[in-house]
Amino acid sequence: MDLATEQALRQQIFDALARIVAENGVVTREQLSAFSLGATTRRLIDQSRGIWNPRDMSATLAVVSSPDGPYADVEVEGGLFRYDYRAGSTGGDNTKLRAAYELQLPIILLLKIDNGVYVPIFPVYVVGDDLAARQFMLAVDENLRFLTAGGQHSIAERRYAERIARYRLHQAEFRGRVLRAYQTQCAVCSLRHGRLLDAAHIISDRAEGGEPVVPNGLSMCKIHHAAFDGNLLGISPDCTIHINNDLLHETDGPMLRHGLQEMHGQVLVLPVRRAERPDRERLAARWAEFE
């Protein structure tokens, strides 16, 4: 296919992926193996290798980064992600990933979080190709394409890049893991519409102990997330929900009554796996801010 057609197809894939991620936070290998695009399907992941190079495309479409894989893929300072060459020659599967760099075609970075489960980051751009180190450098956001590994960037540029990368990588993975742990429902009201769900931090990601890990997260609908962040809703260490006293006695419409006041005294919906349930020490620290 010609380059314009390929660019349009990639955008169509990204748009369809975005709808799935908005609802579920993650995508499965089964979905990626026969990804629905209207009346057709396309494979978005290789059967066994980390780099997926469709025959009818001029460049790589997707790469997998696995924490238990043989490669040292890692986020590096300045908002870039280092992706190792596939073992063997500098050619092979690496050739089409190099073509993505040369043609500046966007790709998908699939972060593996469990067997057959991925958080897709897209569009991602290859912005560097280090033959000596056998590594590609990926920019995880279109706005970071100006970055180069080891380049001379201002403090403001580096801070901007790191903020964008933190949101695109850490927050996306955090949301995917948290929504999956809570089976895509609000821990407060059990709402199951994924597009209305966030991954709320118990301890802020700007504070000590605020790592983007599931025990520091709660799946919350947007109104309960906002109430939690504003200390209008608190959660005690025993996972009981509490509503701010002034709000509890306020008179307003049905949203206040049913959405907040009636949640007072209820117990959180918790993940099935104990290891994914809210950390009691973090809850206690956050509860102290609410009391």
Side-chain angles (χ1 to χ4, degrees), residues 186-231:
C186 176
V188 176
C189 67
S190 300
L191 180 73
R192 290 184 175 273
H193 289 274
R195 292 173 183 269
L196 299 177
L197 298 180
D198 296 332
H201 287 77
I202 297 172
I203 300 297
S204 167
D205 60 355
R206 296 182 297 275
E208 184 178 351
E211 295 83 5
V213 293
V214 176
N216 187 43
L218 294 165
S219 177
M220 286 184 165
C221 67
K222 295 185 181 297
I223 189 168
H224 290 136
H225 186 184
F228 183 63
D229 282 354
N231 281 326

Side-chain angles (χ1 to χ4, degrees), residues 155-171:
I155 293 175
E157 286 175 329
R158 289 199 301 272
R159 286 177 177 170
Y160 171 76
E162 288 167 1
R163 185 171 67 252
I164 294 293
R166 183 168 61 248
Y167 175 79
R168 289 296 304 276
L169 284 173
H170 300 178
Q171 187 59 28

Side-chain angles (χ1 to χ4, degrees), residues 1-2 6 9 42 52-59 96:
M1 68 180 75
D2 61 56
E6 181 169 341
L9 176 57
R42 287 193 70 95
W52 172 230
N53 293 323
R55 289 184 179 181
D56 62 345
M57 286 187 167
S58 55
K96 279 198 170 182

Side-chain angles (χ1 to χ4, degrees), residues 19-27 31 175-176 179-180 184 194:
R19 290 190 289 271
I20 292 176
V21 173
E23 187 63 34
N24 302 316
V26 298
V27 63
Q31 289 172 306
R175 180 176 183 268
L179 262 60
R180 185 164 184 264
T184 315

Side-chain angles (χ1 to χ4, degrees), residues 3 12 17 42 45 54 96 121 196 206 212 247 264 267:
L3 198 57
Q12 184 184 4
L17 259 181
R42 287 193 70 95
I45 191 170
K96 279 198 170 182
I121 310 297
L196 299 177
R206 296 182 297 275
L247 199 63
H264 185 71
V267 177

Side-chain angles (χ1 to χ4, degrees), residues 23-262:
E23 187 63 34
N24 302 316
V26 298
V27 63
T28 66
R29 173 172 281 277
E30 182 179 5
Q31 289 172 306
L32 293 167
S33 297
F35 192 76
S36 178
L37 284 176
T40 64
T41 60
R42 287 193 70 95
R43 175 176 287 277
L44 303 189
I45 191 170
D46 194 89
Q47 289 182 311
S48 59
R49 294 177 292 191
I51 300 176
W52 172 230
N53 293 323
R55 289 184 179 181
D56 62 345
M57 286 187 167
S58 55
T60 295
L61 177 59
V63 296
V64 173
S65 179
S66 174
D68 54 2
Y71 301 102
D73 308 330
V74 67
E75 182 185 356
V76 295
E77 185 178 0
L80 294 175
F81 190 89
R82 184 181 68 202
Y83 193 83
D84 282 352
Y85 282 12
R86 176 169 168 77
S89 73
T90 58
D93 287 345
N94 304 308
T95 301
K96 279 198 170 182
L97 191 49
R98 186 169 296 114
Y101 172 48
E102 294 166 350
L103 298 171
Q104 280 300 284
L105 286 170
I107 67 171
I108 304 161
L109 172 61
L110 296 168
L111 301 177
K112 181 181 176 183
I113 64 169
D114 205 345
N115 289 332
V117 182
Y118 306 86
V119 173
I121 310 297
F122 57 92
V124 168
Y125 289 86
V126 185
V127 295
D129 178 13
D130 189 336
L131 279 167
R134 297 179 57 84
Q135 295 169 343
F136 293 102
M137 286 294 176
L138 310 181
V140 298
D141 188 271
E142 188 168 12
N143 293 321
L144 303 184
R145 292 167 68 181
F146 67 88
L147 293 174
T148 55
Q152 297 299 312
H153 305 294
S154 69
I155 293 175
E157 286 175 329
R158 289 199 301 272
R159 286 177 177 170
Y160 171 76
E162 288 167 1
R163 185 171 67 252
I164 294 293
R166 183 168 61 248
Y167 175 79
R168 289 296 304 276
L169 284 173
H170 300 178
Q171 187 59 28
E173 183 175 351
F174 180 56
R175 180 176 183 268
R177 288 182 181 276
V178 169
L179 262 60
R180 185 164 184 264
Y182 284 83
Q183 299 179 319
T184 315
Q185 64 181 315
C186 176
V188 176
C189 67
S190 300
L191 180 73
R192 290 184 175 273
H193 289 274
R195 292 173 183 269
L196 299 177
L197 298 180
D198 296 332
H201 287 77
I202 297 172
I203 300 297
S204 167
D205 60 355
R206 296 182 297 275
E208 184 178 351
E211 295 83 5
V213 293
V214 176
N216 187 43
L218 294 165
S219 177
M220 286 184 165
C221 67
K222 295 185 181 297
I223 189 168
H224 290 136
H225 186 184
F228 183 63
D229 282 354
N231 281 326
L232 297 174
L233 181 155
I235 299 168
S236 54
D238 64 355
C239 296
T240 300
I241 301 161
H242 300 263
I243 301 300
N244 170 274
N245 191 59
D246 291 340
L247 199 63
L248 194 60
H249 294 93
E250 186 177 317
T251 300
D252 202 345
M255 177 56 74
L256 174 63
R257 183 169 69 255
H258 300 303
L260 290 167
Q261 291 170 340
E262 289 181 3

